[in-house]
Amino acid sequence: MVASGFGSAILIGTAVLSLPIATESGERAPFVDALFTATSAVCVTGLVTVDTGQYWSTFGEVVILALIQVGGLGIMTLATLFAILVSGRLGLRTQLIAQAETKTARLRDVPHLVRNVVLFNVGSEVVIATILSVRFFTGYDMPLGEAVYDGVFHAISAFNNAGFSVYSDSLMGFVSDPWITLTVAIAFIVGGIGFPVAFELARSWRRPRTWSVLTRITLAVTVPLLVIGTVVIGLTEFSNPGTLGPLDDQGKFLAAFFASATARTAGFNSIDVAAMHPESWLFTDLLMFIGGGSAGTAGGIKVTTLGLLALVIWAELRGESKVNVARRRVPESTQRQALAIGLLSVGLVAVVTMVLMHLSPHRLDQVMFEVVSAFGTVGLSTGITADLPRSGHVLIIVLMFVGRIGPLTLFSALALRERARLFEYPEERTIVG
């Protein structure tokens, strides 16, 4: 149902974007370009084969914006519902209470959840759009109508972690403007950590001891990754004349933080990604692969998966038979699910990278960056997207679709289809390592 729902939205978007009115030239867009853009929008990725602001008309841009909203809102709603089904801990009435100990979610409470998710989504976008519109209007002498349009477009795109921009260079023209870059960064961080975590923090940010395991793991992984990413990218690109080199110290820090945050599936860039050093590309690959929080608009394997795997390793190193966090025991089934998602994702990225290298003349580091960006629904690119052959575009389309719904539906399927075995085989240890 999830796959068919997203697939239907993509097909409708493709059909509308194929209309002559959707392009600036008044000519029909090639089918693959329309399909690629629609998939990227619904899957809130941001990879493009054509310049969004130059190629698509205002009508086409509004269609893209609508697809982003549908995709982002659908992802957040479905992910939150799945979180309830899987964990059985998220109680519902007019609000999501992460500490509730209910065993099941009642169907009559689902409409309240959906309403809260929609209000959270739309309310956040209104605040972000207001800040961006005022800044565009007062700081860059934009006409009021253009400022509001650009503010709304980037607010929806940012909160839903889509990465689409009406500017050809994304946000590079605002690299040193904290009003623009920090507002956009906060938007996709909040949208990426997910509704359950954001709601719980809003309710009990002063009482961290009452936080759920989901919130604890999400913050425990997200914050260090943001800090480490800022430091690593800041150091590797510090003197690079194509990225951070020309900026002052404050500008370097702001740009490095934005580059670290946007790699968590946002897709905007305030520096030239194509000019970054290969080591920065590799580190960004890791950030894009990890992604953001569960039940949010971010992609990747999710920070919760990485956090659970880290806890499993830590418990094994300490010789403990159980994995515990915040005075709670992590079920073995959840540990296996995290391991399955991690290994399957690594395998998928490796296979697609090899195939795409065979189809295109580009280097390994460029191709891998593109593949991880598509799988993690990030949208960052070294500039090779448009140069890929049509077969490569089709492969990226499939990867964006799988990367968007794959981890969500796979985790839910693994959790909801768990079955108890009525017998056990004799145990036999094998050599590991």
Side-chain angles (χ1 to χ4, degrees), residues 285 353-354 357 362-370:
D285 286 341
T353 299
M354 288 189 293
M357 284 190 65
H362 301 290
R363 304 193 311 268
L364 171 62
D365 50 2
Q366 293 176 305
V367 173
M368 180 177 290
F369 193 98
E370 197 81 5

Side-chain angles (χ1 to χ4, degrees), residues 255-272:
F257 171 78
F258 191 87
S260 172
T262 195
R264 311 296 303 290
T265 82
F268 292 99
N269 62 285
S270 62
I271 57 177
D272 187 0

Side-chain angles (χ1 to χ4, degrees), residues 129-144 146-155 166-167 171 174 177 179-180 184:
T130 301
I131 297 174
L132 293 179
S133 299
V134 170
R135 183 57 179 170
F136 286 144
F137 179 67
T138 59
Y140 296 92
D141 296 325
M142 286 186 184
L144 181 60
E146 181 182 353
V148 172
Y149 177 80
D150 288 2
V152 171
F153 189 98
H154 289 89
V166 294
Y167 307 124
L171 300 182
F174 311 100
D177 189 340
W179 283 100
I180 300 296
V184 171

Side-chain angles (χ1 to χ4, degrees), residues 2-164:
V2 173
S4 61
F6 277 89
S8 299
I10 290 171
L11 292 178
I12 294 173
T14 302
V16 178
L17 289 176
S18 297
L19 299 175
I21 193 178
T23 64
E24 287 285 1
S25 64
E27 299 178 355
R28 288 184 178 274
F31 174 76
V32 175
D33 289 332
L35 178 61
F36 192 101
T37 303
T39 305
S40 185
V42 173
C43 297
V44 290
T45 304
L47 288 174
V48 294
T49 55
V50 295
D51 189 303
T52 303
Q54 300 294 325
Y55 186 83
W56 302 107
S57 64
T58 302
F59 174 81
E61 292 172 1
V62 171
V63 171
I64 292 173
L65 208 59
L67 294 175
I68 292 172
Q69 187 69 283
V70 169
L73 189 58
I75 290 162
M76 184 171 290
T77 303
L78 287 171
T80 305
L81 290 173
F82 279 143
I84 294 168
L85 291 174
V86 171
S87 68
R89 290 178 48 83
L90 301 182
L92 292 170
R93 276 193 181 274
T94 58
Q95 56 189 6
L96 197 66
I97 304 174
Q99 293 302 309
E101 294 293 340
T102 56
K103 297 300 181 181
T104 58
R106 291 169 291 187
L107 290 177
R108 67 180 182 180
D109 292 326
V110 172
H112 296 291
L113 168 68
V114 175
R115 185 194 65 181
N116 288 335
V117 172
V118 172
L119 290 177
F120 173 67
N121 188 296
V122 176
S124 300
E125 292 171 353
V126 169
V127 174
I128 299 161
T130 301
I131 297 174
L132 293 179
S133 299
V134 170
R135 183 57 179 170
F136 286 144
F137 179 67
T138 59
Y140 296 92
D141 296 325
M142 286 186 184
L144 181 60
E146 181 182 353
V148 172
Y149 177 80
D150 288 2
V152 171
F153 189 98
H154 289 89
I156 295 176
S157 182
F159 183 80
N160 291 289
N161 279 239
F164 279 86

Side-chain angles (χ1 to χ4, degrees), residues 1-3 6 82 402 404-415:
M1 290 175 63
V2 173
F6 277 89
F82 279 143
V402 173
R404 178 67 274 173
I405 69 168
L408 173 66
T409 53
L410 176 61
F411 177 79
S412 302
L414 290 174

Side-chain angles (χ1 to χ4, degrees), residues 367-422:
V367 173
M368 180 177 290
F369 193 98
E370 197 81 5
V371 169
V372 176
S373 180
F375 168 78
T377 66
V378 181
L380 294 176
S381 175
T382 59
I384 68 172
T385 308
D387 298 331
L388 294 175
R390 286 304 187 189
S391 55
H393 288 160
V394 173
L395 185 61
I396 293 295
I397 289 171
V398 175
L399 187 61
M400 288 190 292
F401 186 76
V402 173
R404 178 67 274 173
I405 69 168
L408 173 66
T409 53
L410 176 61
F411 177 79
S412 302
L414 290 174
L416 298 177
R417 295 180 61 184
E418 182 180 351
R419 59 186 65 178
R421 184 183 294 272
L422 301 179

